[in-house]
Amino acid sequence: MFSGIADIDSYLSAGADVDARMRLARNALAGFELSSLLYDFTPVKYDHDGSVSLPSFISMQNLPADMVKVWRDDGFYHIDPVQQLAFRSHLPFVWSYRVGDRTPLNRILEGKHAPVVDYVHDMKITCGLSVPVHMPNGECAVVTGIRQDAAGDFEDVIARRVADFTLFAHVLHEKIYPLFDPETLSARPINLTPRERECVAFAAEGLSAKEISLRLSRSVPTVVMHLNAAARKLSAANRAQMIARAAHYRLLG
């Protein structure tokens, strides 16, 4: 086990890049009674319709080879109840998909979660501990430790490790976040071109299409074209909705 923040920081700093630091983190899991690790980072937690957004970065250590594809490409992230709990919680939480266990997860499971429930039971990754890391600008990282083929006393055993793993998770995030490239940090569910973002930002300031055209030295029809394109991408019915959704995805900065 680690003696404190400085000890964890020194240990993880031995990794030169994100992958190396995640491998070091994986190697430390046994000390927390865990066997697998998942770290994901999401610049914007929810789409404008309220559904969970896909992370821009995912790293899974000692988990099934197809799990990244299943969660990201097959849509499991949108219905993952652990992710939903993490986005709503500022505290770490123990979770279990096993019938009869007493974790917060057991209280929210519904029929829509069935594909996730079936998968984790098939892979014997039904129990874990998740630590949400919410940032002031709305970004969120979730660090999850999983116990493969957990015994019946998992909840009692892991309860003694929650504080230590939470500290470890926060330091891990601090050692990974600065290494993200600009694309990972700026990824959004909606992608506007630089000119579209510029036009929408001016519209958010209250400028008309004519006023924007003067600012950009472009014709009014060109500005209108960019605004219409942005509205289509944002599925906005009018200018006010376009601006509101652009603000939601932090596209106005």
Side-chain angles (χ1 to χ4, degrees):
M1 294 297 292
F2 300 97
S3 60
I5 292 175
D7 196 16
I8 302 170
D9 186 284
S10 176
Y11 173 75
L12 294 174
S13 293
D17 54 26
V18 171
D19 289 340
R21 292 180 181 184
M22 286 298 301
R23 288 194 296 271
L24 286 169
R26 176 196 63 198
N27 293 340
L29 289 176
F32 304 107
E33 307 285 347
L34 298 166
S35 56
S36 304
L37 183 67
L38 189 157
Y39 173 101
D40 60 63
F41 169 76
T42 311
V44 178
K45 290 180 283 190
Y46 298 102
D47 294 344
H48 62 265
D49 61 3
S51 60
V52 171
S53 295
L54 292 178
S56 63
F57 177 83
I58 309 168
S59 178
M60 296 186 181
Q61 302 289 321
N62 197 30
L63 284 166
D66 69 338
M67 191 167 172
V68 170
K69 177 187 180 299
V70 170
W71 251 247
R72 184 173 57 195
D73 299 341
D74 296 350
F76 276 40
Y77 257 113
H78 295 303
I79 59 170
D80 182 352
V82 171
Q83 195 78 355
Q84 293 166 0
L85 279 175
F87 281 175
R88 298 198 300 264
S89 174
H90 287 269
L91 294 175
F93 57 93
V94 176
W95 50 265
S96 170
Y97 285 91
R98 300 184 303 200
V99 175
D101 282 355
R102 307 178 306 277
T103 70
L105 184 63
N106 302 93
R107 296 194 291 270
I108 68 167
L109 289 177
E110 302 176 6
K112 65 182 179 182
H113 301 128
V116 175
V117 174
D118 290 343
Y119 183 92
V120 298
H121 277 284
D122 288 345
M123 299 296 139
K124 298 183 178 181
I125 50 174
T126 57
C127 300
L129 167 60
S130 290
V131 181
V133 184
H134 297 277
M135 283 154 272
N137 59 0
E139 298 169 335
C140 185
V142 183
V143 183
T144 295
I146 297 171
R147 181 67 182 180
Q148 293 191 4
D149 204 13
D153 63 349
F154 173 79
E155 291 178 64
D156 295 328
V157 170
I158 203 64
R160 302 192 294 267
R161 304 298 186 193
V162 171
D164 290 335
F165 183 74
T166 298
L167 179 62
F168 182 81
H170 277 271
V171 178
L172 174 62
H173 168 69
E174 288 297 319
K175 301 303 294 183
I176 288 180
Y177 183 81
L179 301 181
F180 285 149
D181 57 35
E183 183 177 353
T184 298
L185 294 172
S186 63
R188 301 289 184 272
I190 305 296
N191 292 311
L192 303 184
T193 67
R195 185 63 78 186
E196 289 165 357
R197 290 183 64 165
E198 196 171 25
C199 289
V200 174
F202 280 131
E205 294 178 11
L207 274 63
S208 66
K210 182 176 181 180
E211 291 169 327
I212 296 172
S213 73
L214 294 173
R215 290 281 190 96
L216 299 178
S217 299
R218 294 292 186 272
S219 69
V220 172
T222 297
V223 169
V224 171
M225 177 190 70
H226 290 310
L227 290 172
N228 288 341
R232 284 195 301 273
K233 291 180 181 180
L234 291 162
S235 300
N238 50 51
R239 178 174 290 202
Q241 191 175 59
M242 175 187 70
I243 293 169
R245 291 184 177 178
H248 172 83
Y249 292 116
R250 303 204 312 277
L251 297 170
L252 301 180

